Amino acid sequence: MPEKDIVNILEIRRALEGLATSLACRKMTKECLQQLKNMEVDFERAVAENDVERFVDIDEDFHDVIFQATENDKLIQMFRNLKIQLYRYRMAQAKSDNSMSTIVAHHRSILRALENHDSEEGAAVAQGHIKYQTESILRFIKNK
């Protein structure tokens, strides 16, 4: 996939993540919040074991829970389409750098915004998270 297409997809994903997190801050159930908190433990274990594939799978699940919480089927469908297109690059990028701890920190900030029902903070942190991921993927592509 050309670099321009990757950038375009990630620009859209950044906007969708911000919107989804903002909506989820208002709609997130206690059960979904607990599910995300449980994933935090799984993230830590994957980092400790340097299990990149497991880490990326948990990351995918984390974002899926947020999008599901929006209860917006069209938003979820758009997200899934973008996610499928980028999976290969995300996996390769995750294996090539040490960004797992940073991503865990981003997820903690997203979770905190969700717990506080802070839509503005949630959107900002989620968009920053995808901006970081975009920069990491582009670094990977340029260095390979």
Side-chain angles (χ1 to χ4, degrees):
M1 179 182 307
E3 183 178 325
K4 183 181 184 329
D5 290 348
I6 293 169
V7 170
N8 290 342
I9 290 167
L10 286 164
E11 285 173 345
I12 295 166
R13 180 161 179 196
R14 186 174 173 191
L16 294 180
E17 289 277 355
L19 174 60
T21 305
S22 177
L23 292 171
C25 282
R26 295 190 293 265
K27 297 181 176 187
M28 180 76 59
T29 65
K30 289 179 184 176
E31 293 79 21
C32 285
L33 273 173
Q34 188 57 53
Q35 192 176 358
L36 292 174
K37 287 178 187 178
N38 293 343
M39 286 180 191
E40 253 189 309
V41 174
D42 294 337
F43 272 126
E44 295 292 343
R45 188 176 306 120
V47 170
E49 296 171 359
N50 199 32
D51 187 344
V52 176
E53 289 184 23
R54 177 80 178 120
F55 182 87
V56 171
D57 288 343
I58 298 165
D59 183 53
E60 298 277 322
D61 293 344
F62 183 89
H63 291 277
D64 285 344
V65 170
I66 293 170
F67 273 82
Q68 288 297 324
T70 69
E71 300 174 348
N72 183 322
D73 293 337
K74 297 300 180 194
L75 182 60
I76 294 165
Q77 182 180 8
M78 291 172 73
F79 169 69
R80 284 185 181 149
N81 181 30
L82 295 177
K83 185 172 79 166
I84 291 166
Q85 294 179 56
L86 288 174
Y87 185 83
R88 180 176 66 143
Y89 293 96
R90 291 191 59 235
M91 183 65 74
Q93 171 264 321
K95 287 181 178 179
S96 73
D97 70 13
N98 284 337
S99 63
M100 290 193 295
S101 294
T102 302
I103 291 170
V104 169
H106 291 171
H107 285 181
R108 280 192 198 112
S109 297
I110 292 168
L111 183 56
R112 194 168 30 257
L114 290 164
E115 289 175 312
N116 294 330
H117 307 286
D118 188 339
S119 296
E120 284 184 34
E121 178 68 14
V125 174
Q127 289 178 336
H129 174 59
I130 300 304
K131 181 178 184 229
Y132 174 83
Q133 187 177 52
T134 301
E135 292 165 354
S136 293
I137 290 172
L138 292 177
R139 258 192 321 275
F140 165 74
I141 289 169
K142 287 180 176 49
N143 293 330
K144 73 174 187 173

